[in-house]
Amino acid sequence: MRLELSHRTERFGAVRIHELQRVIQLDSGDATGATGDGIVTQAAMRAIERQMVIVIPCMNETRRVIEGVLSGIPHDCLIVLVSNSARQPVDRYEIEAQTLEQFCRAAERPAIIVHQRDPGVAAAFKAAGMPELIDDDGLVRTGKGEAMLIGMAVAALTGRTYLGYIDADNYVPGAVHEYVKVYAAGLHLAANPYAMVRISWHSKPKLRDGRLFFSRRGRSSEITNEFLNRLVAEYSGFGTEVIATGNAGEHALSLDLGLRMRLAGGFAVEPFEFVELFEQFGGVLDTAHPEVMASSVPVLQIETRNPHFHDNKGEEHVQGMRMQALNVLYHSPIALPPVRQAILDFMTAQNALAPGEEPPRERIYPPVGSLALDLLRESLENEADTFRQLGSATLVARPRPRPSLAEPQVVTSA
Ligand code: GDD
């Protein structure tokens, strides 16, 4: 694969946000790849894929679409499907489990599947030290962020190094394949133990008056990016458009980074990743991880070639997503007053808030690295009926990477 070189980065403390880079070639032939030419060889990508877990959050998606998604994930990645699908009147989770099992048999590869609302999963997270994840029914809360957190914890148990997320509602297996290849290429080029790669899809096809129209931007991303960029600009004193992937559902990171990060619930999860990087490694608040500050945190943003063709869940859904992003930005201790005011004005104008009202807070969970992973594994294996390791997938508990984090404290303000 050959990626456009990224010449410019914006810094926020130790966080280095790379300007959007395009995929130049999906396959760059036999070129060996010299430092700085953007080429990543097949061998280099495979080396990352062998160390990568792909987590698929899935809620009531159709079997055929899931099959397509599975088929697009490079062979050496370990698949972890975290389902929150209905179990009644039809047990959709069982259908997903059978689909994954058949796929694993045909493709001769392992995978792991688990249901988010399995009481055994709740018990495991409680035992491992994250009661915040459990709702009043005693089950893990519903939400995409919560599913991603479960996936990250399972990934940490496998002993692999990298984690990528792929939505289950993608109609184009080729796009799924490209996203994972880009994860591998980006993580290779980042060459840093604390790296993140975020996808900006090229276009989203829509039907307009009987014709296909390839829209360039997501309806939620535009707003999220605008406010994230304002947050950055308030510190630097220079306007910026560097953040292009505030809502990126498709993204990957090293577990060394991921396990140190708090995750937000629901659809606040992706925008909060930027906020969390700035809070922990931006140099504005105290950090619990001087080793990361010393190393830096590259965030690569890569524009892919395939159209992003997925299930359209409607305007209300998108509006909810947009507001969850703004809620986490508004409540961040590093959001300076002009940004907060701009968010309030925007939300009030959108009728999402009454005048004088504050945005609600989103749930923010402790880092997965603070969990007792040995206890988690034991409880998952013994108590969670839906937790299945297919093929040759077996869990190896990885040593706890870090002690739990204290809340970052404000040490300076701009
Ligand atoms: N396990 C689980 N639990 N999966 C969930 C849940 C949940 O509570 N909610 C949603 N999912 C799954 C869906 O089945 C789908 O595979 C994926 O998460 C994304 O959810 P969608 O509801 O389809 O979101 P979207 O397609 O509108 O938005 C996507 O793109 C946005 C950026 O354009 C998501 O990835 C967003 O997070 C992202 O910001």
Side-chain angles (χ1 to χ4, degrees):
M1 177 170 276
R2 187 175 202 137
L3 301 178
E4 196 175 52
L5 294 177
S6 90
H7 293 292
R8 291 208 308 194
T9 59
E10 186 97 36
R11 288 207 68 130
F12 196 115
V15 185
R16 278 193 287 123
I17 311 160
H18 290 248
E19 234 177 25
L20 199 61
Q21 301 165 250
R22 280 178 313 148
V23 171
I24 294 178
Q25 279 191 113
L26 292 167
D27 182 336
S28 52
D30 287 333
T32 46
T35 311
D37 62 7
I39 289 177
V40 186
T41 63
Q42 299 272 5
M45 286 197 283
R46 289 230 182 284
I48 304 261
E49 288 158 19
R50 276 196 289 272
Q51 285 302 319
M52 188 165 344
V53 174
I54 294 294
V55 169
I56 308 175
C58 178
M59 191 158 97
N60 301 325
E61 307 297 351
T62 51
R63 186 171 66 88
R64 287 287 162 83
V65 178
I66 298 171
E67 271 173 3
V69 168
L70 296 175
S71 73
I73 297 172
H75 183 83
D76 293 321
C77 299
L78 177 62
I79 294 171
V80 174
L81 195 149
V82 183
S83 171
N84 191 12
S85 300
R87 309 225 45 197
Q88 283 171 340
V90 174
D91 190 346
R92 298 183 74 146
Y93 169 77
E94 242 355 283
I95 296 173
E96 289 160 1
Q98 276 169 21
T99 305
L100 185 59
E101 206 163 353
Q102 279 164 13
F103 169 76
C104 287
R105 209 172 312 123
E108 298 183 59
R109 60 190 288 183
I112 295 173
I113 184 166
V114 65
H115 198 280
Q116 186 168 346
R117 305 278 288 168
D118 177 338
V121 173
F125 276 89
K126 219 167 163 184
M130 207 182 283
E132 299 89 336
L133 203 57
I134 318 297
D135 68 9
D136 293 341
D137 296 326
L139 303 175
V140 171
R141 295 177 198 284
T142 281
K144 186 186 177 220
E146 286 77 357
M148 287 169 55
L149 192 156
I150 295 173
M152 185 185 285
V154 172
L157 294 176
T158 66
R160 293 198 175 207
T161 312
Y162 303 104
L163 164 62
Y165 293 104
I166 292 286
D167 286 350
D169 64 343
N170 196 318
Y171 291 122
V172 185
V176 169
H177 189 70
E178 183 186 10
Y179 296 159
V180 182
K181 290 285 171 192
V182 165
Y183 295 165
L187 289 166
H188 171 81
L189 289 177
N192 185 303
Y194 312 109
M196 182 181 276
V197 175
R198 301 173 75 88
I199 302 284
S200 169
W201 36 257
H202 176 262
S203 59
K204 217 179 235 187
K206 289 183 182 136
L207 265 184
R208 265 196 209 165
D209 303 327
R211 290 182 61 203
L212 266 185
F213 177 78
F214 291 85
S215 154
R216 286 279 291 159
R217 297 222 173 90
R219 291 169 293 173
S220 181
S221 311
E222 265 185 344
I223 306 298
T224 307
N225 293 341
E226 182 189 325
F227 283 100
L228 276 168
N229 281 317
R230 279 177 90 148
L231 189 149
V232 173
E234 283 298 328
Y235 282 91
S236 68
F238 288 88
T240 179
E241 292 184 352
V242 72
I243 298 182
T245 56
N247 277 108
E250 267 74 25
H251 60 285
L253 71 176
S254 60
L255 274 168
D256 277 339
L257 177 62
L259 294 179
R260 287 168 167 82
M261 291 173 65
R262 295 173 300 164
L263 295 187
F267 289 109
V269 58
E270 285 101 4
F272 181 71
E273 287 170 342
F274 268 116
V275 173
E276 172 69 348
L277 292 182
F278 298 156
E279 287 190 18
Q280 285 216 50
F281 313 119
V284 178
L285 311 184
D286 263 345
T287 182
H289 300 298
E291 71 287 3
V292 181
M293 296 299 289
S295 155
S296 88
V297 181
V299 179
L300 274 69
Q301 307 182 97
I302 301 175
E303 186 180 286
T304 45
R305 289 284 167 181
N306 278 275
H308 189 77
F309 202 178
H310 72 146
D311 196 22
N312 186 347
K313 295 185 171 118
E315 183 51 40
E316 205 179 310
H317 174 75
V318 174
Q319 176 74 346
M321 215 176 254
R322 225 182 259 148
M323 294 309 150
Q324 289 181 52
L326 296 181
N327 294 341
V328 284
L329 256 81
Y330 178 86
H331 287 289
S332 169
I334 60 161
L336 295 175
V339 175
R340 294 173 134 222
Q341 189 56 50
I343 292 174
L344 279 183
D345 293 346
F346 177 82
M347 292 178 89
T348 312
Q350 292 275 309
N351 292 324
L353 285 182
E357 206 180 11
E358 278 229 312
R361 283 182 186 274
E362 299 296 330
R363 290 184 192 282
I364 311 291
Y365 299 106
V368 171
S370 68
L371 288 169
L373 291 177
D374 42 355
L375 289 178
L376 183 79
R377 184 197 52 189
E378 208 180 298
S379 297
L380 280 178
E381 286 182 338
N382 296 329
E383 294 180 53
D385 293 340
T386 63
F387 182 72
R388 297 181 201 163
Q389 303 178 65
L390 309 172
S392 59
T394 44
L395 296 181
V396 185
R398 171 186 164 111
R400 283 177 65 160
R402 300 296 310 162
S404 61
L405 291 178
E407 284 283 302
Q409 299 297 313
V410 179
V411 290
T412 58
S413 66

